[in-house]
Amino acid sequence: METNDIVAKDKKYVWHPFTQMKDYETDSPLIIDRGEGIYIWDIQGNKYIDAISSWWVNTLGHSRPRLNEALKQQLEKIEHVLLAGFSHVPAIELAEKLIKLMPDNLTRVFYSDNGSTAVEVALKMAYQYCQQSGKIKKTKFVALKNSYHGDTIGAVSVGGIDVYHKIYKPMLFDIHQAESPYCYRCLFEKEKNACNIECLSSVEEIFKKYSDEIAGIIVEPLAQAAAGMIIYPAEYLKKLRKLCDEYDVLLIDDEVAMGFGRTGKMFAFEHAGIAPDLVCLAKGLTAGYLPMAVTIASEKIYQAFYDDYDKLKTFFHGHSFTGNPLAASVAVENLKIFEDEKIIESIQPKIKVLGENLQKFKEFDCVGDIRHIGMIGAVEIVKNKTTKEQYEFKDRIGSKIYREALNNGAVLRPLGSVVYFMPPYVITEEEIEHMIDIGVKSLKNALY
Ligand SMILES: Cc1ncc(COP(=O)(O)O)c(C=O)c1O
């Protein structure tokens, strides 16, 4: 097919996610042909740094030979088989490897196929656990403002980003919403890392009043990613764990975006030294190769489902592609690469270089906040640095920077007016510098 033909057919037939198709019709879309390492090439041969790891999924680079090989080998055996009453070696091997990476209380792996389903499973498990362990009044959940846990109805119910979630309100189940730990816009006017985590008082107040009806609280650990990489202190999670214990509330740790090294440790909860009750993983689980997710449950939760069949305590949940063998075999190889190539150790110098380079944004009077943890860097662009006045959604600051960055050879996809960098870990220190320089140049061209 000719390029023009491909573009025309894309616009005619494909309805893209999180995309206003009216804009898309007049845009020149990026049609990707191939990828290698941190780079992706479009069908015209233009090369771009994948500075957002293809929606935060890619950790070890595109088209990595070891992962390709693992996939090919599994393909020769079987592409898919159900997991209800069946099993297969990749799912078993992967579950064992994951459990070995978890704190001792987390013992059981439940498969699904994307981050949203991992969250749905966690919510349903927490709810059913309470029903089946004598806590029948505990039917509600707590979630944070600015949270994002996926796009299915349960996940949207615990979401807290109005632009994405508000319209669905009548369809959603009721939750208790607590304040967001948004340090740059601290409600208590405290400085980051020099506070007593006052923002957690909002959770405590809800627990105090309603804990007898609360099954669990769900959080994105260390960073509320989709809301604009709102990075918050590990101390918040530590104190939250204590509160959950005190009020008998399950702690659901949604590591879909942060898991597998993104924060500089294998899992974000490690920064706080805590053990959640349920952990959701997806995205980086297969190094970004294939859709797969897991919800890892504590033994206490698992035991509440374990009984004679006629007691009807079974967890009646499972998607067609649950535990897909191709995805599981890639995920196993992914974890082997983490071990063999000491990925977590190898990214530490890169994290430092990312942190240093982000400071280049300090020169702009429109940059209100620079945020950094692990392999995530973000800058929040504001209308007024003194008042922290935000740009509005309709100002479309992000899309202007996105276009500029493409012209400069990088895929950046700002979240509103937050420009962020979340590259695959195989990026070199020189490439980090280059990526940030593209960000700086794009911001300058878009706004000045
Ligand atoms: C924290 C978090 N949870 C859940 C999800 C949903 O994952 P998926 O897009 O695979 O459904 C996302 C996606 O960005 C996420 O960031």
Side-chain angles (χ1 to χ4, degrees):
M1 258 196 289
E2 290 293 315
T3 303
N4 286 347
D5 224 23
I6 297 173
V7 170
K9 286 185 178 169
D10 177 40
K11 291 183 177 181
K12 185 165 179 195
Y13 296 117
V14 185
W15 188 346
H16 291 269
F18 280 90
T19 303
Q20 176 44 259
M21 294 305 291
K22 187 175 176 189
D23 289 350
Y24 194 80
E25 255 172 40
T26 51
D27 266 1
S28 353
L30 200 60
I31 300 180
I32 299 302
D33 180 41
R34 66 190 182 91
E36 194 181 323
I38 66 160
Y39 296 103
I40 48 179
W41 283 262
D42 67 16
I43 50 171
Q44 283 126 318
N46 299 309
K47 178 181 171 185
Y48 307 91
I49 298 177
D50 183 359
I52 56 161
S53 294
S54 293
W55 256 357
W56 322 343
V57 300
N58 192 293
T59 48
L60 302 180
H62 292 281
S63 197
R64 190 166 175 125
R66 267 182 77 173
L67 297 172
N68 295 354
E69 194 46 44
L71 182 55
K72 281 183 208 156
Q73 280 186 18
Q74 182 55 41
L75 205 43
E76 294 299 321
K77 292 186 184 163
I78 189 162
E79 73 303 322
H80 187 63
V81 68
L82 75 167
L83 208 67
F86 281 60
S87 204
H88 52 78
V89 173
I92 298 165
E93 224 183 322
L94 178 58
E96 182 187 27
K97 280 191 169 301
L98 288 170
I99 291 303
K100 286 190 171 158
L101 291 169
M102 291 290 135
D104 292 347
N105 65 317
L106 293 164
T107 55
R108 306 286 172 164
V109 173
F110 190 93
Y111 284 103
S112 63
D113 46 26
N114 63 69
S116 308
T117 54
V119 167
E120 298 284 341
V121 167
L123 296 171
K124 283 175 71 180
M125 267 183 188
Y127 173 91
Q128 195 171 337
Y129 158 78
C130 291
Q131 294 302 301
Q132 292 173 183
S133 52
K135 305 172 189 181
I136 54 167
K137 275 166 62 192
K138 282 182 169 281
T139 57
K140 290 237 162 87
F141 289 91
V142 182
L144 306 184
K145 280 187 188 159
N146 286 323
S147 58
Y148 178 82
H149 297 286
D151 295 334
T152 51
I153 293 302
V156 172
S157 296
V158 290
I161 303 178
D162 279 354
V163 177
Y164 304 151
H165 302 145
K166 200 171 159 193
I167 189 168
Y168 303 109
K169 193 98 176 91
M171 294 173 73
L172 309 177
F173 57 75
D174 267 351
I175 60 154
H176 295 283
Q177 196 177 54
E179 296 298 339
S180 158
Y182 197 166
C183 300
Y184 175 57
R185 299 180 183 280
C186 177
L187 292 173
F188 298 85
E189 295 177 2
K190 299 281 173 187
E191 288 298 315
K192 188 170 189 179
N193 297 325
C195 69
N196 289 316
I197 319 291
E198 282 80 357
C199 52
L200 194 62
S201 61
S202 157
V203 173
E204 189 167 12
E205 278 162 27
I206 294 171
F207 282 8
K208 245 186 209 156
K209 269 197 196 157
Y210 304 108
S211 67
D212 59 342
E213 62 178 56
I214 294 171
I217 179 167
I218 182 163
V219 292
E220 293 166 85
L222 292 194
Q224 294 190 291
M229 302 298 157
I230 298 172
I231 295 165
Y232 64 88
E235 191 63 19
Y236 182 96
L237 288 180
K238 212 182 228 176
K239 291 192 165 178
L240 177 61
R241 174 71 270 181
K242 277 199 191 125
L243 275 185
C244 287
D245 290 340
E246 201 180 320
Y247 289 94
D248 190 23
V249 170
L250 295 172
L251 177 54
I252 305 172
D253 175 40
D254 176 359
E255 298 253 358
V256 167
M258 295 299 125
F260 302 100
R262 189 49 74 183
T263 63
K265 291 189 187 280
M266 195 60 168
F267 300 109
F269 65 72
E270 293 173 24
H271 289 267
I274 59 156
D277 299 295
L278 288 153
V279 173
C280 305
L281 301 171
K283 294 190 188 272
L285 172 60
T286 60
Y289 261 57
L290 286 161
M292 166 164 266
V294 294
T295 305
I296 305 184
S298 69
E299 188 62 21
K300 179 179 81 173
I301 292 174
Y302 177 79
Q303 286 302 329
F305 291 74
Y306 186 90
D307 211 333
D308 295 331
Y309 187 78
D310 59 5
K311 299 262 171 59
L312 286 179
K313 288 186 180 175
T314 304
F315 188 49
F316 288 111
H317 187 114
H319 305 276
S320 308
F321 286 99
T322 285
N324 174 259
L326 296 174
S329 61
V330 174
V332 168
E333 195 63 17
N334 172 35
L335 292 180
K336 285 183 184 162
I337 294 174
F338 265 82
E339 287 163 27
D340 298 346
E341 301 185 19
K342 299 194 171 28
I343 297 294
I344 298 296
E345 281 170 41
S346 78
I347 59 175
Q348 301 309 319
K350 300 180 187 186
I351 290 172
K352 192 162 169 275
V353 169
L354 177 61
E356 286 160 4
N357 271 274
L358 282 167
Q359 301 311 312
K360 290 177 180 168
F361 284 98
K362 264 190 176 158
E363 66 166 289
F364 295 102
D365 57 8
C366 65
V367 170
D369 194 25
I370 299 177
R371 307 195 264 270
H372 174 224
I373 189 165
M375 291 298 276
I376 308 173
V379 294
E380 180 164 339
I381 299 166
V382 289
K383 256 187 189 166
N384 182 320
K385 214 165 165 164
T386 316
T387 62
K388 301 185 182 175
E389 186 189 350
Q390 279 171 302
Y391 277 101
E392 286 177 44
F393 197 68
K394 63 176 173 12
D395 293 324
R396 315 198 63 184
I397 296 300
S399 55
K400 288 176 194 156
I401 295 170
Y402 166 73
R403 279 283 147 210
E404 283 294 333
L406 279 187
N407 293 336
N408 290 306
V411 177
L412 292 180
R413 209 169 172 277
L415 294 153
S417 45
V418 175
V419 180
Y420 71 93
F421 304 87
M422 214 161 155
Y425 310 156
V426 287
I427 194 167
T428 64
E429 293 177 21
E430 292 72 32
E431 286 166 337
I432 290 176
E433 195 167 348
H434 181 51
M435 173 186 72
I436 298 286
D437 288 345
I438 292 178
V440 167
K441 189 172 166 194
S442 306
L443 191 156
K444 213 180 253 174
N445 291 347
L447 269 93
Y448 292 91

